[in-house]
Amino acid sequence: MQEFTTLENPAEVVRHLTNALGRSKIRQIRFGYRLENEEPAIKFKVWLRFPYNLFARKKVAEKLEEEISHIRISTDSSKLLGQVE
């Protein structure tokens, strides 16, 4: 059984992701609303502080996907997506 972290809004998700991924690695996280296969979605874009190599960027992307898969937003049933820039 998978445990979910329920947060109130996307701004709280940004704070949670910043803490989970590490403040020293993250320069900025932004989010926006969109449609993904005709379903509402919230996409979180993560900009890294330093230019990481491909392996390190992939590791951060995997950690981001893992964290997003355990998060729900209480006021919205939108799907959560992530991308590392």
Side-chain angles (χ1 to χ4, degrees):
M1 186 170 151
Q2 189 175 2
E3 279 191 37
F4 286 96
T5 303
T6 303
L7 300 171
E8 292 295 318
N9 55 45
E12 285 188 16
V13 175
V14 169
R15 273 183 255 138
H16 176 78
L17 291 175
T18 301
N19 292 333
L21 298 175
R23 289 185 184 272
S24 62
K25 293 180 183 177
I26 304 301
R27 183 176 76 199
Q28 182 179 35
I29 299 178
R30 289 189 180 178
F31 64 90
Y33 296 92
R34 60 181 290 170
L35 285 176
E36 182 71 23
N37 297 329
E38 301 299 323
E39 294 181 27
I42 302 173
K43 185 171 188 175
F44 294 90
K45 276 192 170 184
V46 177
W47 281 270
L48 300 177
R49 189 174 297 274
F50 303 110
Y52 287 95
N53 63 19
L54 186 60
F55 178 74
R57 185 176 290 222
K58 184 177 178 183
K59 190 174 175 181
V60 171
E62 289 171 355
K63 178 74 172 168
L64 175 66
E65 290 301 320
E66 179 185 332
E67 288 295 323
I68 284 179
S69 69
H70 296 290
I71 295 175
R72 283 190 202 166
I73 297 180
S74 64
T75 59
D76 198 350
S77 63
S78 298
K79 181 178 178 182
L80 301 178
L81 307 170
Q83 178 181 353
V84 176
E85 292 287 319

